[in-house]
Amino acid sequence: MIAHGKEIKVFCGNANPSFAKGICDELGLELGKSEVKQFADGEVSVSINETVRGCDVFLVQSTCKPVNNSLMELLIMIDACRRASAGRITAVMPYYGYARQDRKAKAHDPISAKLVANMLTAAGADRVLTMDLHANQIQGFFDIPVDNMLGTPAFVKYYMEKFPEDQFDHDEFVVVSPDAGSVARARNFAAKVHMDLAIVDKRRQKANFCEVMNVIGDVKGKTCILYDDLVDTAGSLCNAAAALVEVGGAAKVYACATHGVLSGPALDRIDNGYIEELMVLNTIPMPEGYTGKKIKQLDVAPLFAKAINRVYTETSISSLF
């Protein structure tokens, strides 16, 4: 039973409008009428062009490049809906920016993930719906409900169809964690696709640069699937792939990650590296003008649509996984 009886309305900013359209198509709704633009000096301007009074409003906006613009658009949209007397406001953030700044790595560091949580709450969000937070403890930074969905099932389905067990011996496949911090995530994925686990040991010298040291586990002559939560400059991922082939003797290397941030030299590194194929989810749009064939996307808009429907009907989201 729907306790609140509000109408669902879905709006989006400029970060990933096609994703929001996919959600609306699944829900059988029209995307809400709104305009999000910038003034000449760069200030964000938001106009909500239909009534939201008493409605269950979902604002779809990944805080991806340009990160600060995307974040400000979301905050101002939340404020606009709150001041227009929306019944409940859910920030749907397929990709939660600033999530990597979740702790003080050294003296005088900020904890920007907590700051973003404070800003979303202060703006008037009643809950957050996101996917594969870089660190699960970020949920604890909020004093409002946070639903952190999992991208793993989409990858499990893809690879079990690509390499079915009745045609491929999964003993000849290995799921690889590109660093020690992603081991738990990779182990969970490996168990679901019935493959062994290996780890690439690396030493990070500074942000976005790393030195791969060795491979922990047997990958010789095997097909490897690197698994991570996001790909930024692709340095870690491509160095890990090189180590698997050059040090470990792997036959082929595939890779997958929930969020394809793909900054700077990422596209060239992937296209010219050892990775045969990189699968990402469409939580972030593909870089404009990308013409390569190695990077592909899986659509999770239908999954977000199901989650939104369950938030609206006040039923379990965790049962989706």
Side-chain angles (χ1 to χ4, degrees), residues 2-301:
I2 302 172
H4 46 75
K6 307 177 189 109
E7 179 186 357
I8 290 184
K9 292 204 174 181
V10 179
F11 298 89
C12 72
N14 294 319
N16 199 351
S18 62
F19 190 84
K21 182 66 166 58
I23 289 174
C24 288
D25 289 344
E26 286 290 322
L27 292 172
L29 300 173
E30 290 290 328
L31 188 61
K33 296 180 179 66
S34 64
E35 189 175 19
V36 182
K37 58 183 181 180
Q38 290 187 353
F39 291 114
D41 64 351
E43 288 184 2
V44 174
S45 168
V46 170
S47 298
I48 305 295
N49 297 325
E50 60 183 86
T51 181
V52 295
R53 183 178 295 273
C55 294
D56 209 354
V57 174
F58 294 85
L59 304 176
V60 182
Q61 178 84 331
S62 279
T63 46
C64 54
K65 295 182 290 188
V67 178
N68 296 330
N69 279 5
S70 297
L71 179 58
M72 281 306 299
E73 286 181 9
L74 177 59
L75 294 172
I76 294 172
M77 289 172 71
I78 293 170
D79 184 73
C81 290
R82 179 174 62 87
R83 295 178 186 278
S85 302
R88 179 171 62 179
I89 303 168
T90 301
V92 182
M93 305 172 69
Y95 171 66
Y96 184 94
Y98 287 99
R100 284 171 284 180
Q101 300 180 46
D102 63 306
R103 67 193 185 283
K104 293 187 70 168
K106 62 182 185 298
H108 315 304
D109 274 3
I111 305 180
S112 305
K114 168 61 175 167
L115 174 61
V116 172
N118 289 346
M119 292 166 69
L120 289 166
T121 305
D126 294 299
R127 67 186 305 128
V128 171
L129 179 63
T130 187
M131 176 168 274
D132 279 346
L133 286 168
H134 186 65
N136 287 328
Q137 65 264 25
I138 292 173
Q139 290 176 278
F141 293 174
F142 288 85
D143 293 323
I144 58 176
V146 177
D147 295 304
N148 183 28
M149 301 202 298
L150 305 176
T152 305
F155 291 123
V156 170
K157 182 176 184 294
Y158 175 77
Y159 284 108
M160 293 300 278
E161 291 176 354
K162 186 179 182 71
F163 303 116
E165 290 184 278
D166 60 348
Q167 298 177 32
F168 294 87
D169 182 2
H170 279 207
D171 289 338
E172 297 302 314
F173 288 76
V174 182
V175 172
V176 181
S177 171
D179 55 43
S182 300
V183 171
R185 186 182 293 110
R187 182 183 294 118
N188 178 51
F189 176 62
K192 292 181 183 298
V193 293
H194 311 137
M195 298 176 186
D196 289 334
L197 178 69
I199 303 166
V200 174
D201 177 38
K202 71 178 184 183
R203 179 177 300 164
R204 184 178 293 276
Q205 308 288 34
K206 57 183 178 179
N208 294 331
F209 292 90
C210 65
E211 178 186 354
V212 174
M213 303 301 291
N214 54 45
V215 179
I216 303 170
D218 179 21
V219 300
K220 188 173 180 61
K222 297 185 178 182
T223 299
C224 297
I225 301 175
L226 281 161
Y227 184 79
D228 210 349
D229 66 317
L230 64 86
V231 182
D232 189 354
T233 61
S236 296
L237 203 68
C238 291
N239 285 342
L244 290 171
V245 174
E246 296 172 2
V247 178
K252 287 185 177 181
V253 180
Y254 294 84
C256 59
T258 301
H259 308 297
V261 180
L262 302 173
S263 303
L267 301 180
D268 287 338
R269 284 174 171 171
I270 292 164
D271 284 340
N272 299 317
Y274 284 102
I275 294 173
E276 302 278 335
E277 175 188 82
L278 170 63
M279 293 301 306
V280 295
L281 305 182
N282 62 339
T283 55
I284 297 174
M286 285 288 285
E288 189 175 348
Y290 176 69
T291 57
K293 296 180 180 179
K294 283 192 175 183
I295 305 174
K296 301 176 182 177
Q297 284 188 327
L298 295 173
D299 184 14
V300 288

